[in-house]
Every structure is written in C-alpha cells, then in structure tokens.
Amino acid sequence: MSLTSFFDEQDVRERFNKEFVKLTIIKSHRLLAPSLTKNYRIVGTAFDYLMRFHLKRINPQAVERPWIAENAWYILDSRGLDDLCQQASQILTQAKERYAEFLTTQTLTDELLASTLLLAKLDGFYRALRMDENLQQVNAEDIQDLRALISAVDFSLFKTSGAVILNPEFKSSSLVKGADADLIIDDLLVDIKTVKELNLQRRDFNQLVGYYILSKIDQLKGVQLPYNIKRLGIYFSRHAYLYIFNVEEVIDEQRLPEFLEWFQMREGKSF
C-alpha cells in the first residue's frame, strides 16, 4: 500500500472527507501548455523530475534525495533481468551526467528532457512493476511538451534562501508503505499536477493533507525536521498556477491529536 492506495479504502476516504473540508479553486487561469500526446503519466512524472532539476538550479542549497527511478535498477538486478538492468543503468548514468552539465551550464538541452522521460519510465516500473516495452524510446512531441511546460514556470515563486527539500520522504511513510511528496519550500509543501483541468480533486486534496499528517506524526516521534509546514499548495503546471492555502484553513488543530491517533491505529501502529 502507498499513500495513494491508502485512499482507495472507503473508511479512509470517509474519515478524510468528514475531517477536512476541501477548498474550491476559482478557475481564473487559462490552459497555457496543452498536452501534445496521450502520454499523460510519463510526461507528468518527467516534469516532476525536470521541475526539481530547475529548483536545484535556482536554489543551490536544496536538499536532494536519491531518485525514485534508481530503485527500479535494484528491482531489476534482484530479479536477474540483466538486459533491462543494463538499460536502466545506462539511463541513470546518462541522466546524472546531463543533470550535472545542466547545473553547470544552465542550458536546457533536448537530451536532458529525453532523460527525464526515461527516468519517468523507470519510476513507473518501480511503482507499478510494469516495464515500458520501448524503454529507451522517447516521443519528440513529449520533449516539446516538457519544454513548453518548463518555459511557462515563474521561478520567482520558487526561489528562496531558506529550506528547500526536493522529493521529501517522511519517516512515518512506513505507515502507508511509502509516500514521497514533490517539494517543500520554507513552510510550503507543494504537489505538482500536470493535468488538463484546473480543478482541486478530492483525491489530490486528501493526498496533500496526508503528507502534512505524516509530517506531524514525524514530529510526534521526535524527528528533527528542517521545516515547519504551515501552507499547502498544488502547482498546476499546464496552467502555470501555484494554488496555496494555509493549513489552518482546512485543519482544526484542536481535533488534530485525535485524528493523528486514528491515522496511526488505522494502520495497526501507534507511536
């Protein structure tokens, strides 16, 4: 189970729906970068990598974790899939070289864009254990799509001299068998959505709140965190819109301790 699949459980959805009132977005931002193919998941995941690469460029102090795509190599190696393992190794090596070059030259090449698409395929294999049969092939229109998406970003919204955590993972994510957010900037936790519709879906809202809940459980466990989340946000990349709301708008701090206890007990663990 992961945080995403955690919300497939009916009692979990009902509890979140009862506890947290979802906000409504005023749809005042137009679609700036429409999808060019039907490779929605691959492009979305590739953009997550690309966005984090750029955030490291503008915030050199940003803390990075190993890529999720790297876990695919370990799985392939453990299964003795030598050919796929070799291909994955090549993809990872090239991506790291191109990423390092990008940080030095600050020039975004089509080769780096292609690498993010290949990383997305490995990422997808790790999460679903299904490998793309055309692992090393990329669609030229997907590269064009990614360039349009990143060109639309107002990076002044993401630049800071404070804490930046890329692809943060919470210690308490073991409660839901894994949960990795996209980024934390100062007191803001952001999830990236590369979707056509500018709409805050209940599932996405629950996921964002779920990350916050895991961070609070970490605090209860005595984990020393380099951040204190007070705001939550979703970056709608196709609209270049960063939607932000305060935690206090959706979470009653007085009711939170009881909810944290329920959350932990729901997974059979209590700290």
Side-chain angles (χ1 to χ4, degrees), residues 22 33 58-59 88 108 159 175 183 189 194 226 232 243 248 251 256:
K22 183 179 74 69
I58 66 172
N59 299 301
L108 180 59
K159 187 172 177 57
L175 286 169
L183 60 113
L189 188 153
T194 302
L232 303 175
Y243 174 68
E248 62 187 18
I251 297 177
L256 186 59

PDB file of all heavy atoms in Angstrom, residues 22 33 58-59 88 108 159 175 183 189 194 226 232 243 248 251 256:
ATOM      1  N   LYS A  22     -12.716  20.351   1.761  1.00  0.00           N
ATOM      2  CA  LYS A  22     -11.945  20.698   0.563  1.00  0.00           C
ATOM      3  C   LYS A  22     -12.307  22.095   0.077  1.00  0.00           C
ATOM      4  O   LYS A  22     -13.475  22.469   0.015  1.00  0.00           O
ATOM      5  CB  LYS A  22     -12.197  19.683  -0.560  1.00  0.00           C
ATOM      6  CG  LYS A  22     -11.382  19.940  -1.816  1.00  0.00           C
ATOM      7  CD  LYS A  22     -11.646  18.889  -2.874  1.00  0.00           C
ATOM      8  CE  LYS A  22     -12.987  19.071  -3.539  1.00  0.00           C
ATOM      9  NZ  LYS A  22     -13.013  20.296  -4.376  1.00  0.00           N
ATOM     10  N   ALA A  33      -0.221  25.306 -21.586  1.00  0.00           N
ATOM     11  CA  ALA A  33       0.599  24.280 -22.240  1.00  0.00           C
ATOM     12  C   ALA A  33      -0.209  23.008 -22.408  1.00  0.00           C
ATOM     13  O   ALA A  33      -0.080  22.066 -21.620  1.00  0.00           O
ATOM     14  CB  ALA A  33       1.858  24.021 -21.418  1.00  0.00           C
ATOM     15  N   ILE A  58      18.103  26.983  -9.201  1.00  0.00           N
ATOM     16  CA  ILE A  58      17.881  28.323  -8.638  1.00  0.00           C
ATOM     17  C   ILE A  58      18.053  28.355  -7.121  1.00  0.00           C
ATOM     18  O   ILE A  58      18.198  29.443  -6.546  1.00  0.00           O
ATOM     19  CB  ILE A  58      16.487  28.866  -9.019  1.00  0.00           C
ATOM     20  CG1 ILE A  58      15.378  28.032  -8.381  1.00  0.00           C
ATOM     21  CG2 ILE A  58      16.328  28.932 -10.529  1.00  0.00           C
ATOM     22  CD1 ILE A  58      13.993  28.628  -8.573  1.00  0.00           C
ATOM     23  N   ASN A  59      18.046  27.181  -6.492  1.00  0.00           N
ATOM     24  CA  ASN A  59      18.248  27.085  -5.044  1.00  0.00           C
ATOM     25  C   ASN A  59      19.348  26.062  -4.773  1.00  0.00           C
ATOM     26  O   ASN A  59      19.069  24.903  -4.458  1.00  0.00           O
ATOM     27  CB  ASN A  59      16.956  26.632  -4.346  1.00  0.00           C
ATOM     28  CG  ASN A  59      15.802  27.593  -4.549  1.00  0.00           C
ATOM     29  OD1 ASN A  59      15.873  28.763  -4.197  1.00  0.00           O
ATOM     30  ND2 ASN A  59      14.724  27.095  -5.143  1.00  0.00           N
ATOM     31  N   ALA A  88      18.688   0.163 -17.737  1.00  0.00           N
ATOM     32  CA  ALA A  88      18.364   1.087 -16.647  1.00  0.00           C
ATOM     33  C   ALA A  88      19.618   1.798 -16.150  1.00  0.00           C
ATOM     34  O   ALA A  88      19.600   3.002 -15.888  1.00  0.00           O
ATOM     35  CB  ALA A  88      17.690   0.338 -15.506  1.00  0.00           C
ATOM     36  N   LEU A 108      19.242  24.161 -20.990  1.00  0.00           N
ATOM     37  CA  LEU A 108      18.339  23.018 -21.037  1.00  0.00           C
ATOM     38  C   LEU A 108      18.379  22.387 -22.430  1.00  0.00           C
ATOM     39  O   LEU A 108      17.900  22.973 -23.403  1.00  0.00           O
ATOM     40  CB  LEU A 108      16.914  23.457 -20.697  1.00  0.00           C
ATOM     41  CG  LEU A 108      15.848  22.353 -20.694  1.00  0.00           C
ATOM     42  CD1 LEU A 108      16.206  21.264 -19.696  1.00  0.00           C
ATOM     43  CD2 LEU A 108      14.476  22.940 -20.388  1.00  0.00           C
ATOM     44  N   LYS A 159      11.855  30.523  -5.613  1.00  0.00           N
ATOM     45  CA  LYS A 159      13.217  30.870  -5.202  1.00  0.00           C
ATOM     46  C   LYS A 159      13.216  31.344  -3.753  1.00  0.00           C
ATOM     47  O   LYS A 159      12.373  32.140  -3.349  1.00  0.00           O
ATOM     48  CB  LYS A 159      13.798  31.956  -6.111  1.00  0.00           C
ATOM     49  CG  LYS A 159      15.274  32.261  -5.845  1.00  0.00           C
ATOM     50  CD  LYS A 159      15.841  33.190  -6.890  1.00  0.00           C
ATOM     51  CE  LYS A 159      17.294  33.558  -6.595  1.00  0.00           C
ATOM     52  NZ  LYS A 159      18.156  32.363  -6.494  1.00  0.00           N
ATOM     53  N   LEU A 175       3.890   3.861   7.563  1.00  0.00           N
ATOM     54  CA  LEU A 175       2.506   3.605   7.957  1.00  0.00           C
ATOM     55  C   LEU A 175       1.642   3.261   6.751  1.00  0.00           C
ATOM     56  O   LEU A 175       0.687   2.492   6.852  1.00  0.00           O
ATOM     57  CB  LEU A 175       1.916   4.836   8.661  1.00  0.00           C
ATOM     58  CG  LEU A 175       2.395   5.122  10.086  1.00  0.00           C
ATOM     59  CD1 LEU A 175       1.927   6.502  10.523  1.00  0.00           C
ATOM     60  CD2 LEU A 175       1.885   4.063  11.049  1.00  0.00           C
ATOM     61  N   LEU A 183       7.902  18.576  -3.241  1.00  0.00           N
ATOM     62  CA  LEU A 183       8.873  19.523  -2.706  1.00  0.00           C
ATOM     63  C   LEU A 183       8.323  20.291  -1.513  1.00  0.00           C
ATOM     64  O   LEU A 183       7.112  20.429  -1.342  1.00  0.00           O
ATOM     65  CB  LEU A 183       9.323  20.506  -3.786  1.00  0.00           C
ATOM     66  CG  LEU A 183       8.253  21.380  -4.435  1.00  0.00           C
ATOM     67  CD1 LEU A 183       8.450  22.838  -4.069  1.00  0.00           C
ATOM     68  CD2 LEU A 183       8.297  21.234  -5.951  1.00  0.00           C
ATOM     69  N   LEU A 189       4.462  23.120   1.505  1.00  0.00           N
ATOM     70  CA  LEU A 189       4.554  21.796   0.884  1.00  0.00           C
ATOM     71  C   LEU A 189       3.767  21.831  -0.415  1.00  0.00           C
ATOM     72  O   LEU A 189       2.601  22.207  -0.425  1.00  0.00           O
ATOM     73  CB  LEU A 189       4.000  20.720   1.822  1.00  0.00           C
ATOM     74  CG  LEU A 189       4.189  19.257   1.389  1.00  0.00           C
ATOM     75  CD1 LEU A 189       4.222  18.351   2.618  1.00  0.00           C
ATOM     76  CD2 LEU A 189       3.070  18.786   0.459  1.00  0.00           C
ATOM     77  N   THR A 194       0.338  17.770 -13.427  1.00  0.00           N
ATOM     78  CA  THR A 194       0.386  18.094 -14.849  1.00  0.00           C
ATOM     79  C   THR A 194      -0.886  17.553 -15.482  1.00  0.00           C
ATOM     80  O   THR A 194      -0.905  16.462 -16.050  1.00  0.00           O
ATOM     81  CB  THR A 194       1.652  17.501 -15.497  1.00  0.00           C
ATOM     82  OG1 THR A 194       2.803  18.022 -14.817  1.00  0.00           O
ATOM     83  CG2 THR A 194       1.758  17.888 -16.967  1.00  0.00           C
ATOM     84  N   PRO A 226      13.797  19.964   9.214  1.00  0.00           N
ATOM     85  CA  PRO A 226      14.357  21.265   8.830  1.00  0.00           C
ATOM     86  C   PRO A 226      13.292  22.231   8.325  1.00  0.00           C
ATOM     87  O   PRO A 226      13.608  23.221   7.680  1.00  0.00           O
ATOM     88  CB  PRO A 226      15.337  20.892   7.714  1.00  0.00           C
ATOM     89  CG  PRO A 226      14.704  19.695   7.070  1.00  0.00           C
ATOM     90  CD  PRO A 226      14.034  18.934   8.184  1.00  0.00           C
ATOM     91  N   LEU A 232      -0.033  24.660   2.320  1.00  0.00           N
ATOM     92  CA  LEU A 232      -0.075  23.557   1.360  1.00  0.00           C
ATOM     93  C   LEU A 232      -0.392  24.130  -0.012  1.00  0.00           C
ATOM     94  O   LEU A 232      -1.135  25.111  -0.128  1.00  0.00           O
ATOM     95  CB  LEU A 232      -1.144  22.536   1.756  1.00  0.00           C
ATOM     96  CG  LEU A 232      -1.022  21.913   3.149  1.00  0.00           C
ATOM     97  CD1 LEU A 232      -2.221  21.014   3.434  1.00  0.00           C
ATOM     98  CD2 LEU A 232       0.274  21.131   3.290  1.00  0.00           C
ATOM     99  N   TYR A 243      -1.375  27.167  -6.609  1.00  0.00           N
ATOM    100  CA  TYR A 243      -2.511  27.380  -5.711  1.00  0.00           C
ATOM    101  C   TYR A 243      -2.077  27.042  -4.288  1.00  0.00           C
ATOM    102  O   TYR A 243      -1.602  25.946  -4.018  1.00  0.00           O
ATOM    103  CB  TYR A 243      -3.681  26.495  -6.129  1.00  0.00           C
ATOM    104  CG  TYR A 243      -4.856  26.538  -5.187  1.00  0.00           C
ATOM    105  CD1 TYR A 243      -5.632  27.684  -5.052  1.00  0.00           C
ATOM    106  CD2 TYR A 243      -5.199  25.425  -4.411  1.00  0.00           C
ATOM    107  CE1 TYR A 243      -6.705  27.730  -4.187  1.00  0.00           C
ATOM    108  CE2 TYR A 243      -6.276  25.456  -3.550  1.00  0.00           C
ATOM    109  CZ  TYR A 243      -7.026  26.606  -3.442  1.00  0.00           C
ATOM    110  OH  TYR A 243      -8.091  26.640  -2.577  1.00  0.00           O
ATOM    111  N   GLU A 248      -4.294  26.015   8.450  1.00  0.00           N
ATOM    112  CA  GLU A 248      -5.368  26.324   9.394  1.00  0.00           C
ATOM    113  C   GLU A 248      -6.722  26.520   8.716  1.00  0.00           C
ATOM    114  O   GLU A 248      -7.762  26.463   9.375  1.00  0.00           O
ATOM    115  CB  GLU A 248      -5.023  27.578  10.192  1.00  0.00           C
ATOM    116  CG  GLU A 248      -4.860  28.822   9.349  1.00  0.00           C
ATOM    117  CD  GLU A 248      -4.356  30.017  10.144  1.00  0.00           C
ATOM    118  OE1 GLU A 248      -3.820  29.809  11.240  1.00  0.00           O
ATOM    119  OE2 GLU A 248      -4.503  31.152   9.657  1.00  0.00           O
ATOM    120  N   ILE A 251      -7.580  22.446   8.532  1.00  0.00           N
ATOM    121  CA  ILE A 251      -7.301  21.532   9.628  1.00  0.00           C
ATOM    122  C   ILE A 251      -7.540  22.218  10.964  1.00  0.00           C
ATOM    123  O   ILE A 251      -6.984  23.290  11.234  1.00  0.00           O
ATOM    124  CB  ILE A 251      -5.849  21.012   9.560  1.00  0.00           C
ATOM    125  CG1 ILE A 251      -5.651  20.195   8.275  1.00  0.00           C
ATOM    126  CG2 ILE A 251      -5.503  20.179  10.783  1.00  0.00           C
ATOM    127  CD1 ILE A 251      -4.244  19.692   8.074  1.00  0.00           C
ATOM    128  N   LEU A 256      -6.797  17.749  15.776  1.00  0.00           N
ATOM    129  CA  LEU A 256      -5.713  17.032  15.109  1.00  0.00           C
ATOM    130  C   LEU A 256      -5.127  15.884  15.928  1.00  0.00           C
ATOM    131  O   LEU A 256      -4.888  14.800  15.369  1.00  0.00           O
ATOM    132  CB  LEU A 256      -4.617  18.015  14.700  1.00  0.00           C
ATOM    133  CG  LEU A 256      -3.480  17.438  13.852  1.00  0.00           C
ATOM    134  CD1 LEU A 256      -4.019  16.841  12.560  1.00  0.00           C
ATOM    135  CD2 LEU A 256      -2.449  18.519  13.536  1.00  0.00           C
TER     136      LEU A 256
END
